[in-house]
Amino acid sequence: DQQVKQNSPSLSVQEGRISILNCDYTNSMFDYFLWYKKYPAEGPTFLISISSIKDKNEDGRFTVFLNKSAKHLSLHIVPSQPGDSAVYFCAAPRLSGNQFYFGTGTSLTVIP
Amino acid sequence: ETGVTQSPTHLIKTRGQQVTLRCSSQSGHNTVSWYQQALGQGPQFIFQYYREEENGRGNFPPRFSGLQFPNYSSELNVNALELDDSALYLCASSPMTVAPEEQYFGPGTRLTVT
């Protein structure tokens, strides 16, 4: 049972433009959501999070939006840079600390 | 402060064999989680160890087992390997908090079962 879903396996964007990565979830009880970034041959690294009581969280070029009624969140990267090329995973917490459900990932390519 | 390390980087096993993967947690971290990432999939939670005790388990059969040692390093053992066990195995260490930014993943071990 996939609790967190990312329906776009890949996305290509021109440098300087906006990248929008999407994620859907099924459990309305999730307290917060995360985005992780993964480069080849490296482990995922934490990027940004959002509490379920907020609808937006911003950190520099990265903004996450949460639409609870639609059970949907999105990660916006503005402006996109070639170094942002990576696989992005959304995640939601399991029952206890630092145990997560991950989506299947979206591979972002930023074209110079 | 050292990061999370995993060994080996790659290995190839035959169906039915047993394998042990190792993870050294980041200094000061007492919690280790293991994930399986199959090709084209996201990481799937296997289990977590906190102070040498299992602290949560995902939907994996008992042939997936683990250990955590007093220095908080950890092992993942898989018995009776199946072809579907071919995957990248990730470990992550953290203090026992719910602050996700304090969880750090290792680079993973790529297991191929033939």
Side-chain angles (χ1 to χ4, degrees):
Chain A
D1 181 24
Q2 195 72 20
Q3 301 265 356
V4 182
K5 302 177 185 179
Q6 294 175 258
N7 293 318
S8 298
S10 63
L11 174 68
S12 291
V13 171
Q14 288 290 133
E15 181 178 4
R17 306 294 290 269
I18 184 171
S19 295
I20 300 176
L21 296 90
N22 295 304
C23 178
D24 297 301
Y25 60 95
T26 57
N27 188 344
S28 59
M29 300 299 291
F30 287 138
D31 289 335
Y32 61 94
F33 302 89
L34 316 168
W35 285 93
Y36 277 84
K37 176 179 178 179
K38 185 180 186 301
Y39 292 117
E42 296 183 13
T45 55
F46 170 78
L47 183 60
I48 191 169
S49 64
I50 187 166
S51 166
S52 61
I53 63 172
K54 295 187 175 181
D55 54 17
K56 177 182 174 181
N57 188 30
E58 189 172 353
D59 183 2
R61 296 186 297 113
F62 302 91
T63 303
V64 56
F65 295 92
L66 176 62
N67 182 335
K68 289 185 288 293
S69 61
K71 294 182 184 173
H72 177 84
L73 62 154
S74 61
L75 174 68
H76 292 212
I77 307 173
V78 183
S80 300
Q81 299 174 354
D84 296 329
S85 297
V87 178
Y88 290 79
F89 295 99
C90 64
R94 296 174 57 89
L95 292 175
S96 48
N98 284 343
Q99 302 174 18
F100 301 107
Y101 296 106
F102 282 83
T104 52
T106 297
S107 179
L108 173 66
T109 301
V110 180
I111 303 165
Chain B
E1 182 177 279
T2 59
V4 180
T5 60
Q6 292 186 243
S7 62
T9 305
H10 299 86
L11 76 165
I12 300 173
K13 289 286 189 176
T14 302
R15 190 172 48 186
Q17 286 187 317
Q18 179 266 344
V19 69
T20 298
L21 310 182
R22 295 177 175 84
C23 173
S24 292
S25 59
Q26 184 152 320
S27 176
H29 287 184
N30 55 18
T31 303
V32 174
S33 303
W34 286 92
Y35 289 82
Q36 179 197 66
Q37 185 183 2
L39 194 63
Q41 302 297 314
Q44 299 284 318
F45 175 73
I46 303 175
F47 44 57
Q48 183 184 81
Y49 278 83
Y50 169 61
R51 291 187 174 180
E52 303 178 57
E53 296 288 330
E54 188 177 288
N55 180 52
R57 188 179 182 93
N59 189 25
F60 281 81
R63 59 190 186 81
F64 285 78
S65 62
L67 282 174
Q68 187 179 32
F69 300 99
N71 66 354
Y72 303 131
S73 66
S74 178
E75 286 182 356
L76 164 64
N77 299 289
V78 187
N79 294 320
L81 283 167
E82 300 177 0
L83 297 179
D84 285 349
D85 296 333
S86 296
L88 179 68
Y89 288 85
L90 296 162
C91 76
S93 78
S94 63
M96 192 49 174
T97 95
V98 292
E101 61 270 22
E102 295 186 46
Q103 175 167 245
Y104 297 93
F105 282 84
T109 293
R110 173 73 62 186
L111 171 65
T112 302
V113 182
T114 62

